[in-house]
Amino acid sequence: DNAILTQSRFILMEPMLLLFMLCGYLFLLKFQRHNKNMQSLKWWLYLSLALLSLTLAMCVKYVGFFALWLGTFLIMKDWWWLLPRKDMSDLSLALQGLARCVLNIAIPVLVYVTIFYVHLAVLTKAGPHDSVMTSAFQASLEGGLASITKGQPLEVAHGSQITLRHTHGKACWLHSHNEVYPIRYPDKRGSSHQQQVTCYTFKDLNNWWIIRRPEKSNLVVSMPPDSIKHGDIIHLVHGITGRALNSHDVSAPMSPHNQEVSCYIDYNVSMPAQNLWRVDITNREQEGDVWHTIQSQVRLIHVNSSQALRYSGRQLPDWGFNQMEIVTDKTVIQDDTIWNVEEHRYTKFEDEKERERDMINAEMIPLKVTSLSFWRKFSELQYKMLFPSQENIQSHMYSSDPPEWPLMTRGIAYWVSSHHNGQVHLLGNIVIWYSASLCLVIYFSLFIFYLLRRRRLCYDIETGAWNFFLHTGSFLFLGYLLHYLPYFFVDRTLFLHHYFPALLFKILLTAAIVEHLYFLTSRNKIVQQIYKIIIIIWILSIITVFKKFSVLSYGAVPLSAEDVYKLRWRDTWDFIVHKD
């Protein structure tokens, strides 16, 4: 198939996924030949290799979980069919079932955890995409954030200078600047006209805030430090502008159902400051009641409204410099209301100018690495992979939807030459794809037909042929549905290559249908000869189409615009053609 060839040459994940899936099912077939004799080495070997291969498929891409689930189903189904056998004792069957259950759990868990253990043991240095992880995870890596945060004070106290990072989802920091909210928004709603507070996705001097107790006027950290604890009421003073974090009963600019967050400016109008915030440490059972740098995850609860400071995920327009919106939300318990202190130092100067100069020139001196256990890193990685940020969901010119995949409505352009129209385009062999889609319909139709006929005690095929048709076809048909239907519920950008695991089952089912139809035609020699001729023509057409479209798999042949248009068998195939 041209699509599988193209993907195997340029993208690594799908070919490895398909390889491990096929190996897993091959070992399962070998296991079924020795399924009765549990004392046999081959029983343990093939079952272990099958589960190992299918687990590795899941480790390549999470869609491999469906392959593993299907393999587990087949293993237990095989045991179920052993139960009526009189030549096996109850003890033997019980041990068989127990051993299969233990291996089905132990091997996937052991392999999966071991891979991440090796991954985290080897990859100990910071990289360019660490920002998707929490501050604690980043600080445990060598270089990067760790070089900034090592040596900074642990306990947040009155007078602490901090940056507050949105812990889960998109990496951004609580931010403010001198600009104010517009008096009126385009929808005619009014604002507080207070100083803007946003979430900024880059490190910036305006990300710094100072913690202050309401009853204290100075900002210098005392000795010993006056630590902030769970339940304490604080002011958050913006480090550069000196204004306190505030919220009023005014609709947020992009989320009118939420409350606006600002830094308070005293306009001498009847809108007093509401700038008290209660510290709610969400993981205090692990980290304690004292607010700690990096490790403590906190919610800031607005005292006047009992709403939580939240990252809304919406982007402000030009007047907000396209930064992210910050609001308060009545729904307190949610991931987007959780923050953590990332960078931290103690205020040394009371004078505002000296304090600002200190912020600009301060440089943290690394002393020791932040330590996280393997299980904390492991659990965070699982969370980030299973629940990725959905903010950047956007269309792509070569994206496609699941209903378009069976008939290959759209391909994917990978590369085009700058000198001619030679290109690499992900496109399958149309004969294989359409034939396989037809075989899905044929199998389902025959299955319903045989089922109804057998219900009427009409046995069109013998029991052995029926069992083979039922078990082989149902396994492949179920495998196809398992790897195809879930994509209808996925809220992300999808491409044709996501269909490959399902395509694998569809192609295997095609072979099963071709064999079954050959069996049916064996009753009439003339019909069987005609069927053989049809199959030969079909195979030759597959080879011809593969050869014709292989120029799009390799991209090594210079093509003219006319050559490209000749390959465009469907109007929806978006090949790239240079203008003359």
Side-chain angles (χ1 to χ4, degrees), residues 127-318:
H129 301 293
D130 296 340
S131 60
V132 299
M133 309 305 292
T134 62
S135 301
F137 194 104
Q138 293 181 62
S140 68
L141 302 174
E142 299 173 20
L145 180 63
S147 65
I148 299 174
T149 59
K150 284 183 290 185
Q152 63 186 11
L154 175 63
E155 295 185 359
V156 177
H158 166 78
S160 286
Q161 299 175 14
I162 64 171
T163 60
L164 272 175
R165 184 186 190 271
H166 176 233
T167 302
H168 300 297
K170 189 177 184 68
C172 64
W173 292 263
L174 191 67
H175 175 97
S176 187
H177 39 244
N178 277 313
E179 282 69 17
V180 297
Y181 290 108
I183 296 177
R184 289 200 176 276
Y185 301 121
D187 59 2
K188 306 303 181 184
R189 287 185 298 113
S191 78
S192 66
H193 202 49
Q194 298 283 335
Q195 182 173 303
Q196 296 175 16
V197 172
T198 65
C199 206
Y200 193 38
T201 54
F202 299 95
K203 298 283 188 179
D204 188 83
L205 188 60
N206 280 313
N207 296 348
W208 285 91
W209 300 79
I210 303 174
I211 303 291
R212 185 179 71 187
R213 289 194 181 275
E215 65 274 13
K216 293 187 177 182
S217 57
N218 72 317
L219 294 174
V220 177
V221 176
S222 60
M223 288 299 165
D226 181 7
S227 299
I228 304 298
K229 299 179 180 179
H230 172 75
D232 285 355
I233 306 298
I234 62 169
H235 284 157
L236 268 172
V237 180
H238 188 239
I240 298 300
T241 64
R243 296 187 175 116
L245 188 70
N246 178 81
S247 185
H248 281 114
D249 187 15
V250 176
S251 295
M254 309 306 294
S255 307
H257 54 287
N258 294 127
Q259 197 164 288
E260 177 195 274
V261 176
S262 61
C263 280
Y264 183 72
I265 303 174
D266 188 0
Y267 289 122
N268 292 319
V269 295
S270 57
M271 185 182 281
Q274 296 182 3
N275 52 16
L276 297 177
W277 301 85
R278 186 176 71 253
V279 177
D280 178 16
I281 302 176
T282 62
N283 61 340
R284 58 187 178 279
E285 292 183 0
Q286 295 81 31
E287 299 300 329
D289 284 340
V290 177
W291 190 357
H292 287 167
T293 303
I294 294 179
Q295 304 285 15
S296 293
Q297 297 180 0
V298 303
R299 289 189 175 98
L300 295 174
I301 310 299
H302 187 235
V303 172
N304 296 80
S305 63
S306 298
Q307 299 186 30
L309 187 74
R310 181 173 77 90
Y311 162 82
S312 73
R314 296 173 181 266
Q315 191 172 33
L316 297 171
D318 291 342

Side-chain angles (χ1 to χ4, degrees), residues 285-351:
E285 292 183 0
Q286 295 81 31
E287 299 300 329
D289 284 340
V290 177
W291 190 357
H292 287 167
T293 303
I294 294 179
Q295 304 285 15
S296 293
Q297 297 180 0
V298 303
R299 289 189 175 98
L300 295 174
I301 310 299
H302 187 235
V303 172
N304 296 80
S305 63
S306 298
Q307 299 186 30
L309 187 74
R310 181 173 77 90
Y311 162 82
S312 73
R314 296 173 181 266
Q315 191 172 33
L316 297 171
D318 291 342
W319 56 257
F321 306 98
N322 302 114
Q323 296 174 16
M324 309 307 293
E325 182 190 43
I326 292 293
V327 300
T328 61
D329 198 321
K330 295 178 182 177
T331 306
V332 173
I333 308 300
Q334 52 179 308
D335 283 348
D336 283 330
T337 60
I338 296 179
W339 304 81
N340 66 271
V341 172
E342 186 167 270
E343 296 171 77
H344 178 210
R345 54 178 175 255
Y346 286 157
T347 302
K348 302 175 184 177
F349 303 100
E350 181 62 31
D351 181 74

Side-chain angles (χ1 to χ4, degrees), residues 425-438:
H425 199 97
L426 184 71
L427 206 62
N429 189 317
I430 195 169
V431 178
I432 293 178
W433 285 54
Y434 279 47
S435 301
S437 296
L438 177 62

